[in-house]
Amino acid sequence: MRTVIFRTVAPYLTSLMVLFSIFVLLRGHNEPGGGFIGGLIAASAFAIYGIACGVAPVRRALYFHPMALSAFGLLMSTLAGMISLPLSVPFMTGNWMKLHLFGNEIDLSSVLLFDIGVYFVVLGAITSIALALEERDRG
Amino acid sequence: MATAAQTPVDFSAAFNMAPTPLADWLIVMPVAWCLLAGAVLLMLRKRTALHPGIAIFALIGLCLFDAALLVRVLAEGPLTMVMGRWLPPFGIAFTVDLMGALFALTAALVALAAGVFGRADVDTTGRRYGFYPFLMLLMAGVSGAFLTGDVFNLYVWFEVLLIASFGLLVLGSERAQIDGATKYAFLNLVGTTLFLIATGYLYGLFGSLNMADIIVKAPQLRDTAPLMTLTTLYLLAFAMKAAAFPVNFWLPASYHTPKLAVSALFGGLLTKVGIYALIRVLVMLFPVERDHLAWVIAVIAALTMVLGVVGALAQNDTRRAVGYLVISGIGVMMAGIALGSPGGLSGTIFYALHSMVVMTALYFAAGIGGTLAGSFLLSRSGGLYAGHAVLAFTTLALFFSVAGLPPFSGLWPKVLLVKAALDVGAWWLAASILVTGFLTTIATGRIWLLAYWRPAPVGAEPGTNPRAPTAVEGRHEPPVAAPGDAAPPFAAMAVLLALTSLSVVFGLWPEPLLAAAQEAAAALLDPSAYVLSVFPGEVPQ
C-alpha cells in the first residue's frame, strides 16, 4: 500500500477529509450530516494517513490519545445536556442563544455542542480501533 | 427566524412548559454523574494514581444521589422527567418508582464496595486497561436501566453496561479471560438481539415505547395483537441476561476469570438487571400474558434454583461455586415472578436487594480467602480458620445468609416466597425453595469445612500452604495479598465486613425493607401511580 502515489496524495486527502468532516458536522443541524457521520469521515481520514505513512506519525499529529479525545467528547455531550440545569428545563433540552458578531446574527445551541461531543466520541473510538489494527498489521 | 416572529408557535403542544425544579434533576443525576465521572477518568487514563480517588468520590456521590432519590420517591411516589422537554410518549422518559430507586441505591452501594475493594485488587496494569472508567460507565448503564421509563432506552442502557462489562472482563487480556469473555459476549449478544427484535415488534404493535403508554394501550390491543409472542420473546431475552436455566451456562464459564472486584460486581449486579427487566416488562407491562406463562416461569425457576445449587455442590473452585450460587438465587427470584402475587413479588424484590449485597460480599470473601490460602481450589486449601478467625466467621455469616438461615437477610424473602407459593397451592415450588435452601447449606458448609475448618496441611503455618504453589492458582495477576501474609488487606476486610453487616442489619431489622418491598410490589401490580406520573391527568384502564 505504501506506493509513491498514495504517500504523496495521502496528506492532501487527509486534510481535505478532515475539513469535509467539520463541514458535515456543522451542516448536520438542518440537513443530512451531523456528529456521527462527521466523526466517521474524520476517523477514516486518520486511518488513510496511518496506512500511507505509518501509525506513529498519526499519533504524533493527533497529540492526544484517541481514547482521551473520545472521553472528551463524552464529557462535552453530557455537559451539553447539563446546560439545562440552571435554565430550569429537563435534561438534554435544546437551548439556544444568539450571538451578534460583525453585524451577523449567529444561532448557537447546546444541540451543536452535543453534536460536537458525538463527533469526538466517534472520531476517538474509531481512530483508536483503526490505529490499533494498523499497528498489529505492521507487526 | 423571521417567520417565527410573525406566526407565534404554540410550544405547549409539544413541550412541557412548566419549569423543572432542581430537585427533579435527581432523576437523571445518577446516569449523568456516572457518565461525567467515566469521561473524566478516561481522559486521565494515564494518571492511574488518581483513578481510585476520583472514582470512589464519584461513587459516594452516586450513593448520595440515589439515596436522596429514594427518599423523594418514598415521600412523593413515582417521579418522571422527560428528556429534552418533549411531552411523553414522544420524549424519552425517565420514570423512577420505588422498585427502581431501591435497586439503584443498592447497586450504587455495591459499586462503591467494588471500587474500594478494587484499590487493593486491581493493579496498575488493570487500571491502565481502565478498571475505574469502565466501572463508572457500567454504573451509568446499570443506573440508567433501573431509572428509565422507556423500553428502547432500557435496551440502550443494557448495551452501555454490556460494553463496559466486556471491557471489565478482559482487563489485562489474559488467555483465560479472553476465553471467558468470548462465551459471555456471544451469549449476551444473542440475548440482546432477542431483546432488540422484541422491542422492534413492540414498537410495531403499539407505536410507542414509553412504558406508561404501553400500560395504557395494552388492554385495547390485547384481543388483536400477538402480545403472548412478544412476552415470550422478552422472557427468553431477559432470562438469558439473568442466567436462568437452561440459558445459564455462560455465567459459570466466565464469572471466575476476571479480577475479583469485577467478578463481585458482575455477580452482584448484572444478573439482577435481568431480573429487574423481567419484573418490569412481564409484571408491569404484560400482567395478563405473564399469568398465562406462570407455569413456564415456575418450572424454569424451580429448575434454576435446584440445578444451580447442585452445580455449586460439585465445584472445586470457590469462585465457580459462588457463580453457581448466583444462578441458584436467580431461580428463587424467578419463583416470585412466576407467582405474581404481592407477597411473591415483594419476596423477589427483597431477595434481589439481598442478593446484590451478599453475592458481591461472597466473591470478596472467596477472593480474600483464596489469596490467603494460596489457592482457590478446595482440594488445596485449608486452615484459614486458625489464622483468620474474623474472615472465617464473616464468610460463615455470608454462607448462612445465602442459604436463608436466620438471623441474616436471606431468611425473610424466602419466608415471603414460600408463604406466597403455599397460598396459591404451589407446594412443589415452596418445596423446591426449601430444598434449595437445604442444599445451599450443604454446599456452603462443604466450602467452609474444606477451606476454613479443616486444618492446614501438616508442617505448615496457616496461610503458607506447602501444597500450594507460590503463585495463586487460576490467577495470573498479583493477588489481593501475597500468600503467607499475616493479615488480609485492611480495605478489603472493611468492605467485606460492611456488606456483611448490611445483611445482618436487614436480617435482624427487616421491617423497613419489607414495607418498602411490599409497597414496590403493590405499585407494580397496580401501576396507576406510575402512569399518572408520566401522563398527569390520565386515568388508566
Side-chain angles (χ1 to χ4, degrees):
Chain A
M1 287 300 279
R2 303 180 85 169
T3 60
V4 177
I5 297 172
F6 188 39
R7 264 185 298 155
T8 317
V9 171
Y12 299 103
L13 199 59
T14 303
S15 41
L16 270 179
M17 282 174 79
V18 171
L19 265 180
F20 183 64
S21 76
I22 295 169
F23 165 71
V24 168
L25 161 70
L26 295 177
R27 181 179 187 262
H29 191 76
N30 288 323
E31 284 168 275
F36 192 89
I37 180 71
L40 281 180
I41 295 172
S44 23
F46 294 125
I48 286 177
Y49 197 72
I51 293 168
C53 308
V55 172
V58 182
R59 289 205 193 277
R60 269 202 305 280
L62 278 174
Y63 188 75
F64 294 107
H65 192 279
M67 282 315 285
L69 286 179
S70 190
F72 171 72
L74 182 62
L75 188 72
M76 199 163 164
S77 290
T78 317
L79 286 177
M82 304 283 283
I83 291 177
S84 308
L85 198 146
L87 299 175
S88 293
V89 283
F91 191 52
M92 290 282 174
T93 305
N95 299 299
W96 292 83
M97 65 171 277
K98 287 191 194 302
L99 194 67
H100 294 280
L101 207 65
F102 307 121
N104 291 319
E105 201 175 70
I106 300 172
D107 291 310
L108 290 179
S109 67
S110 61
V111 183
L112 180 68
L113 206 59
F114 179 85
D115 225 15
I116 298 174
V118 173
Y119 176 89
F120 275 110
V121 170
V122 175
L123 164 72
I126 305 287
T127 308
S128 164
I129 296 169
L131 292 186
L133 288 176
E134 282 169 20
E135 253 164 6
R136 196 68 51 91
D137 213 28
R138 294 275 152 75
Chain B
M1 300 311 116
T3 48
Q6 284 153 11
T7 50
V9 181
D10 179 19
F11 282 112
S12 65
F15 278 145
N16 172 13
M17 300 309 284
T20 308
L22 203 57
D24 273 9
W25 275 77
L26 278 177
I27 300 166
V28 287
M29 266 324 264
V31 177
W33 176 255
C34 287
L35 283 176
L36 284 176
V40 168
L41 283 168
L42 208 54
M43 284 169 78
L44 297 171
R45 59 196 289 278
K46 291 277 161 62
R47 316 270 296 272
T48 50
L50 295 174
H51 280 191
I54 298 175
I56 289 166
F57 167 75
L59 287 167
I60 291 173
L62 178 65
C63 289
L64 294 179
F65 283 132
D66 280 330
L69 190 58
L70 179 63
V71 169
R72 269 204 73 192
V73 170
L74 272 173
E76 299 171 31
L79 300 170
T80 297
M81 181 192 246
V82 187
M83 300 303 115
R85 245 170 129 192
W86 301 103
L87 287 176
F90 302 106
I92 292 171
F94 263 45
T95 307
V96 193
D97 65 352
L98 190 50
M99 178 172 78
L102 282 171
F103 272 65
L105 175 60
T106 317
L109 288 172
V110 165
L112 176 61
V116 175
F117 191 85
R119 266 176 63 106
D121 182 47
V122 180
D123 52 6
T124 319
T125 322
R127 284 186 205 163
R128 285 183 76 93
Y129 272 89
F131 171 72
Y132 284 106
F134 280 131
L135 174 64
M136 291 316 296
L137 294 177
L138 181 87
M139 283 318 291
V142 170
S143 309
F146 288 154
L147 304 181
T148 190
D150 184 282
V151 181
F152 185 75
N153 202 232
L154 179 66
Y155 166 79
V156 172
W157 294 121
F158 261 89
E159 284 287 340
V160 170
L161 75 88
L162 206 59
I163 290 169
S165 71
F166 292 158
L168 284 173
L169 261 180
V170 295
L171 288 183
S173 306
E174 287 148 19
R175 205 182 181 80
Q177 291 180 334
I178 304 279
D179 177 64
T182 313
K183 292 165 187 157
Y184 174 85
F186 180 73
L187 268 144
N188 272 287
L189 281 180
V190 172
T192 315
T193 310
L194 276 173
F195 183 9
L196 184 61
I197 292 170
T199 306
Y201 200 15
L202 176 82
Y203 188 60
L205 293 176
F206 284 82
S208 171
L209 292 163
N210 186 298
M211 291 184 191
D213 203 28
I214 291 168
I215 295 171
V216 175
K217 284 183 178 164
Q220 297 131 39
L221 283 170
R222 196 151 271 138
D223 298 329
T224 50
L227 295 190
M228 200 65 204
T229 316
L230 195 62
T231 313
T232 316
L233 265 176
Y234 274 122
L235 173 63
L236 180 57
F238 294 142
M240 225 169 209
K241 294 273 170 201
F245 181 82
V247 280
N248 60 353
F249 42 90
W250 57 270
L251 193 148
S254 59
Y255 269 26
H256 65 288
T257 55
K259 315 243 174 220
L260 277 160
V262 176
S263 296
L265 199 61
F266 283 15
L269 293 187
L270 296 194
T271 46
K272 274 56 159 197
V273 180
I275 287 290
Y276 171 86
L278 269 179
I279 300 177
R280 190 57 91 200
V281 171
L282 263 64
V283 177
M284 200 175 86
L285 298 189
F286 302 116
V288 178
E289 287 72 22
R290 191 213 56 81
D291 277 351
H292 292 298
L293 282 172
W295 271 95
V296 181
I297 306 174
V299 171
I300 293 173
L303 284 174
T304 308
M305 62 179 103
V306 174
L307 292 177
V309 75
V310 169
L313 265 173
Q315 295 307 311
N316 189 20
D317 186 319
T318 44
R319 294 167 304 173
R320 288 183 77 109
V322 176
Y324 277 100
L325 291 178
V326 171
I327 295 178
S328 179
I330 293 299
V332 178
M333 283 176 249
M334 286 192 74
I337 300 175
L339 293 167
S341 56
L345 280 174
S346 47
T348 296
I349 294 170
F350 196 147
Y351 197 91
L353 301 175
H354 144 85
S355 173
M356 279 192 206
V357 172
V358 170
M359 288 305 169
T360 307
L362 264 183
Y363 270 109
F364 289 160
I368 299 173
T371 30
L372 288 175
S375 171
F376 286 99
L377 300 181
L378 289 175
S379 53
R380 285 183 181 275
S381 49
L384 279 171
Y385 176 73
H388 309 282
V390 178
L391 176 68
F393 276 115
T394 317
T395 314
L396 192 63
L398 288 170
F399 282 164
F400 275 19
S401 187
V402 76
L405 296 174
F408 303 102
S409 60
L411 170 73
W412 303 107
K414 284 196 175 175
V415 169
L416 284 175
L417 285 168
V418 169
K419 183 173 177 304
L422 290 178
D423 281 347
V424 295
W427 57 269
W428 54 274
L429 195 57
S432 59
I433 295 174
L434 293 175
V435 168
T436 304
F438 178 63
L439 289 176
T440 312
T441 316
I442 298 178
T444 53
R446 171 176 163 268
I447 298 173
W448 203 77
L449 200 69
L450 293 179
Y452 290 83
W453 192 244
R454 179 171 65 165
V458 184
E461 289 297 308
T464 53
N465 190 335
R467 281 186 300 191
T470 42
V472 181
E473 282 196 359
R475 282 175 68 104
H476 311 279
E477 72 267 24
V480 175
D485 260 9
F490 173 74
M493 274 311 283
V495 168
L496 179 64
L497 285 173
L499 289 182
T500 312
S501 56
L502 260 184
S503 172
V504 176
V505 166
F506 284 109
L508 292 174
W509 190 46
E511 283 87 355
L513 199 54
L514 266 178
Q518 271 156 358
E519 200 182 319
L524 284 169
L525 291 169
D526 175 23
S528 50
Y530 189 94
V531 174
L532 271 176
S533 122
V534 182
F535 300 106
E538 181 125 9
V539 182
Q541 268 93 52

